[in-house]
Amino acid sequence: MTLSLFNEPSAQEIAPGVWWLRAFALPTLTSLQDGVNEVLAAAPWRQMQTPGGQTMAVSMSNCGPLGWVSDRAGYRYQTHDPLTGRPWPPMPQTLANLACLAAEQSGYVQFKPDACLINRYLPGTRLSLHQDRDEQDFSQPIVSVSLGLPAVFLLGGMARSDKTFRLPLSHGDVLVWGGPARLRFHGVMPVAEGDHPALGRMRINLTFRKAA
DNA sequence: CAGTTCCA
DNA sequence: GAGT
């Protein structure tokens, strides 16, 4: 018999191409955390600069063959960590498996992420509305895993000025968007103060992409 | 170009 | 809502 990673048949399509899997990762959270800590030991948190020279509020790291970076030269994926000069640490199997399963539950078969961006939100931290458009193949979805403190996710439309929907994301929630939703604007409201049993005063988000 | 920003 |  197969042990299921899912608590419930919880995948819900909340908009065309957007799937919200609530508490999806709960049974595997400790192994996810182990994987994240392993990555952070090799590629520590850092705050990147926007091309305009602003310091981003979110602290970031990456794992997998490619990592997302931003600096004065622009946004891009690269094989090496600019902080250490080394390749990004490998993507722990538990992370890759979870992303693949979440994508499959959402109807996106054979999702093989080559990049996992790890974002840390301390209380007060936000992420402005943006599109994920630095990947080469927009036919592949985005898989986003929420850990720790809850946050309000903003799901916008294809234009920055479009009305946004607010989704309350909790520890273990996974959001998958692709197809007609692949280029929708999205962001995160400032994270409220709190103390999560597993992660303390922080929210961690794992974003899996097929970048190349 | 760039705003994953800041400010009116 | 901005800028080239």
Side-chain angles (χ1 to χ4, degrees):
Chain A
M1 104 170 229
T2 307
L3 197 58
S4 175
L5 285 174
F6 323 129
N7 289 353
E8 296 290 330
S10 58
Q12 262 192 247
E13 190 174 28
I14 59 171
V18 183
W19 294 79
W20 187 2
L21 288 66
R22 307 182 79 161
F24 180 81
L26 283 181
T28 59
L29 288 188
T30 43
S31 75
L32 277 188
Q33 286 177 231
D34 290 346
V36 169
N37 287 332
E38 179 184 313
V39 169
L40 292 171
W45 296 124
R46 84 291 308 274
Q47 283 174 277
M48 298 187 188
Q49 305 292 121
T50 67
Q54 303 289 336
T55 299
M56 295 179 67
V58 176
S59 294
M60 301 177 167
S61 182
N62 286 280
C63 61
L66 291 170
W68 186 85
V69 298
S70 176
D71 58 24
R72 296 308 295 253
Y75 311 133
R76 65 196 174 278
Y77 284 91
Q78 56 179 51
T79 57
H80 284 61
D81 179 350
L83 193 65
T84 66
R86 299 189 300 260
W88 296 106
M91 192 183 303
Q93 198 62 52
T94 52
L95 273 67
N97 285 345
L98 178 80
C100 183
L101 284 166
E104 197 172 291
Q105 280 294 297
S106 308
Y108 300 102
V109 296
Q110 293 285 13
F111 178 57
K112 301 291 180 199
D114 56 14
C116 175
L117 175 62
I118 307 176
N119 287 338
R120 181 188 67 181
Y121 299 74
L122 300 179
T125 304
R126 79 172 76 195
L127 188 60
S128 305
L129 276 187
H130 66 278
Q131 296 168 299
D132 289 4
R133 53 186 299 173
D134 302 314
E135 301 75 27
Q136 292 192 353
D137 183 1
F138 295 149
S139 76
Q140 294 298 307
I142 301 290
V143 174
S144 170
V145 179
S146 294
L147 300 171
L149 291 178
V152 176
F153 184 88
L154 298 172
L155 178 64
M158 299 301 293
R160 189 190 295 279
S161 55
D162 287 347
K163 172 183 182 299
T164 58
F165 295 83
R166 296 166 165 239
L167 310 175
L169 297 184
S170 299
H171 188 59
D173 284 1
V174 180
L175 204 59
V176 180
W177 64 96
R182 178 60 179 75
L183 290 175
R184 285 179 75 146
F185 277 84
H186 56 279
V188 177
M189 295 281 283
V191 168
E193 275 293 353
D195 191 358
H196 190 272
L199 285 171
R201 287 166 42 96
M202 76 174 78
R203 170 176 191 260
I204 290 180
N205 181 73
L206 311 175
T207 310
F208 298 88
R209 299 94 182 260
K210 181 79 172 67

